[in-house]
Amino acid sequence: MPSHLFADRSAQPPEPGSVDALISQTRRLRGEVDAVRRDTVVDDDDAQGRWQRALCDLAVHHLDDLREHLDQLKEGLPPAPETVELPQAAPEAGPEAQTRVGSAEWNLLTDEVSWSDELFQIFGRSPEAGALPLDELGSTLFSEDQPLLTAWVTACLVDGKPIDGEFRIVRADGRVRTLHMRGEPVLDSDGCTASMWAVLRDVSELRRSQRAVRESRDSLQRQREIAQTEHRLAVELQEAVLPPWRGSLRFPHSSAGTLDVAAHYLPSATSALIGGDWYDALELPDACSLLTVGDLTGHGVTATSGMAMMLGALRGMAMAGIEPGPLMGWLNQLLETSVQPALGSAVCCRYDPARRVLSWAQAGHPAPLLFRRGSGRSLLPPEGVLLGATSGASYGQAEERLEVGDLLVLHTDGLTPRSIEFSRADGTERLLALAPRFSAARSAQECVRIVIEEFGESEREDDACVLVARVGG
């Protein structure tokens, strides 16, 4: 077995210029990573931030170790006795910011033990107390780690196997440290084991950082799983409250002016923003049809339960024959006097198939879009209505005569992104641009699918509803 480098005193250190360049690069990178770490704002509820901070800490520890190894490489072997300084980019370093690499040699022929000054620091042992012989080294270890070290040393001295492993020690001051030991036998000229040489590295902070990364990553994963479960339950609750029909509706069945109706609910990417958006379509006793979409203020279970109450009231007033304008006023008053969320926005339509007339009113909501013969436009808002007014407003009512083949699109504000890049007008233009595709569609359900393809982003900022109604002959 070839002799270890420790026994080869003729070995020369690498060129100092190349090592200096590596040290400078490491120092610069360490400072940049430390700046990122300081800029990472973390609070107790931010699992993502804690994970990012833990990764930065781990990277800093790796760079600190690399800098120390390069410093020792520059000095050559054996390591210089002075303590290797940490980079100046770590002013927060405390008493543990010491050299974390030391070396030792145990001579089996003379029983002489040689420890570097760094190793005394690692063990918290004064040089006056002397270095520990191999048979006493185990006394500093955790009891469960002692058999492991004994087996490593025996295999090294008897079988010539190198040592590469970790164990924990308890220093004289009571502090627990984790050490990584790499050792090899040093052979004499006859090929017999003369001594054992080892490098011991204090990896306590490194392992602590790695544990922090694992724990923060696991915490983040658990939070994501909880958020996914909450999101799924919130969507299921919202869909349970919305009208149970899926696919297309055709009503009134006995009239020549039938309506083909389809709708869809698009949930937000987060459960905290789900709840409050609705759509509804209902055949009324006088053969007219109710079409409505809207949203309540707030989100969550409170908004969803408020939506259930609101849909019941809205249907009841529509069944009683109340027109959209007065209906909106009564609905707003009902919500204002209840403990449930207030009316955020809504559009309510009543279609009379006998006259093919659509009567409608709105409260701070996008006006219905009318598509006819391959082009589309927004319906003119009712006169006397202040857009956005939801309290004490006297809701006006507008009428629009429809034709066979006309397509109505009603949607809530959340359909389009709420950002600087997109406004309500931008969303309307995107919908109007779908006119040729709507014209080629064979059903209201197919039109809904077209809208979902255009606006159904996987990571939606808010939930939304869209309702499509096509006038039949």
Side-chain angles (χ1 to χ4, degrees):
M1 182 176 179
S3 297
H4 194 278
L5 183 62
F6 192 95
D8 184 6
R9 301 300 179 183
S10 63
Q12 297 297 320
E15 290 295 327
S18 60
V19 177
D20 285 339
L22 290 174
I23 291 174
S24 297
Q25 294 175 18
T26 303
R27 182 186 297 111
R28 183 171 59 254
L29 182 58
R30 167 55 161 88
E32 293 172 355
V33 173
D34 195 61
V36 172
R37 180 176 62 166
R38 289 195 302 268
D39 292 340
T40 303
V41 180
V42 180
D43 57 53
D44 293 338
D45 299 324
D46 183 11
Q48 179 83 17
R50 291 198 303 272
W51 175 66
Q52 293 173 345
R53 179 60 183 261
L55 282 177
C56 288
D57 290 342
L58 181 58
V60 164
H61 285 304
H62 278 302
L63 290 170
D64 286 344
D65 288 339
L66 177 60
R67 166 68 188 281
E68 291 173 3
H69 297 165
L70 292 173
D71 280 339
Q72 291 187 356
L73 183 62
K74 178 181 177 180
E75 296 296 329
L77 293 174
E82 292 81 14
T83 297
V84 179
E85 295 180 359
L86 285 175
Q88 295 181 358
E92 74 278 12
E96 294 179 359
Q98 302 173 347
T99 297
R100 292 189 291 272
V101 180
S103 62
E105 185 176 14
W106 290 273
N107 192 307
L108 304 181
L109 303 179
T110 64
D111 290 332
E112 181 183 358
V113 182
S114 175
W115 275 20
S116 68
D117 289 349
E118 292 84 3
L119 194 58
F120 280 104
Q121 293 178 13
I122 290 172
F123 275 81
R125 187 177 178 87
S126 66
E128 292 76 16
L132 289 172
L134 270 177
D135 56 359
E136 295 182 20
L137 186 64
S139 63
T140 65
L141 271 65
F142 268 47
S143 57
E144 53 264 39
D145 292 351
Q146 291 174 1
L148 190 63
L149 179 63
T150 299
W152 290 344
V153 171
T154 301
C156 180
L157 299 179
V158 176
D159 301 324
K161 294 183 178 181
I163 296 174
D164 189 353
E166 293 183 7
F167 53 82
R168 295 161 296 172
I169 65 169
V170 181
R171 294 165 34 123
D173 57 10
R175 294 164 60 194
V176 176
R177 310 300 291 173
T178 300
L179 306 186
H180 183 202
M181 181 177 184
R182 294 179 64 93
E184 291 184 358
V186 179
L187 307 180
D188 59 18
S189 58
D190 297 326
C192 299
T193 302
S195 62
M196 191 184 85
W197 179 91
V199 170
L200 291 95
R201 176 185 174 208
D202 187 341
V203 294
S204 304
E205 302 309 313
L206 181 63
R207 297 296 175 254
R208 184 176 296 119
S209 293
Q210 290 173 334
R211 286 195 302 271
V213 169
R214 288 195 303 270
E215 291 170 359
S216 59
R217 180 194 61 207
D218 293 343
S219 174
L220 180 60
Q221 181 63 28
R222 286 193 298 271
Q223 287 195 11
R224 286 176 175 171
E225 292 172 355
I226 292 172
Q228 289 172 355
T229 301
E230 291 177 345
H231 181 265
R232 177 177 55 81
L233 294 175
V235 172
E236 291 176 355
L237 176 61
Q238 178 77 359
E239 292 179 340
V241 174
L242 288 171
W245 52 273
R246 296 293 182 267
S248 293
L249 285 179
R250 295 186 66 85
F251 53 81
H253 303 289
S254 59
S255 171
T258 58
L259 279 184
D260 177 19
V261 182
H264 189 76
Y265 169 69
L266 294 87
S268 165
T270 169
S271 59
L273 296 178
I274 288 178
D277 280 45
W278 81 81
Y279 64 80
D280 197 12
L282 179 68
E283 185 176 358
L284 302 175
D286 58 1
C288 292
S289 303
L290 168 71
L291 305 173
T292 179
V293 297
D295 62 81
L296 301 179
T297 59
H299 298 89
V301 176
T302 302
T304 302
S305 59
M307 184 186 71
M309 178 200 70
M310 185 278 312
L311 280 175
L314 190 152
R315 285 186 161 210
M317 288 186 283
M319 293 287 285
I322 300 178
E323 292 290 321
L327 187 151
M328 291 292 297
W330 285 112
L331 184 64
N332 188 55
Q333 183 176 348
L334 171 67
L335 290 171
E336 283 189 339
T337 57
S338 70
V339 295
Q340 302 296 338
L343 182 64
S345 61
V347 59
C348 182
C349 304
R350 185 182 184 93
Y351 175 63
D352 183 349
R355 299 186 300 133
R356 288 204 177 97
V357 171
L358 181 77
S359 304
W360 65 283
Q362 67 178 151
H365 197 80
L369 303 182
L370 175 60
F371 295 84
R372 177 178 294 169
R373 291 188 288 274
S375 63
R377 63 181 175 88
S378 295
L379 297 185
L380 294 176
E383 293 183 2
V385 175
L386 230 137
L387 293 182
T390 58
S391 177
S394 176
Y395 296 97
Q397 182 171 304
E399 289 189 352
E400 186 77 25
R401 187 170 295 277
L402 303 183
E403 300 177 5
V404 174
D406 283 353
L407 187 77
L408 285 170
V409 176
L410 282 62
H411 67 90
T412 59
D413 275 324
L415 184 65
T416 55
R418 295 175 297 151
S419 65
I420 298 176
E421 292 82 3
F422 294 98
S423 64
R424 178 182 290 182
D426 295 326
T428 299
E429 290 301 319
R430 289 174 65 189
L431 279 169
L432 293 176
L434 299 176
R437 298 179 63 186
F438 288 155
S439 182
R442 292 170 295 180
S443 66
Q445 185 64 40
E446 188 173 342
C447 292
V448 167
R449 282 196 293 268
I450 291 172
V451 174
I452 295 172
E453 290 174 4
E454 178 68 21
F455 295 95
E457 298 92 346
S458 57
E459 295 294 326
R460 298 189 57 79
E461 296 179 1
D462 208 340
D463 55 354
C465 290
V466 60
L467 183 146
V468 174
R470 169 175 279 175
V471 179

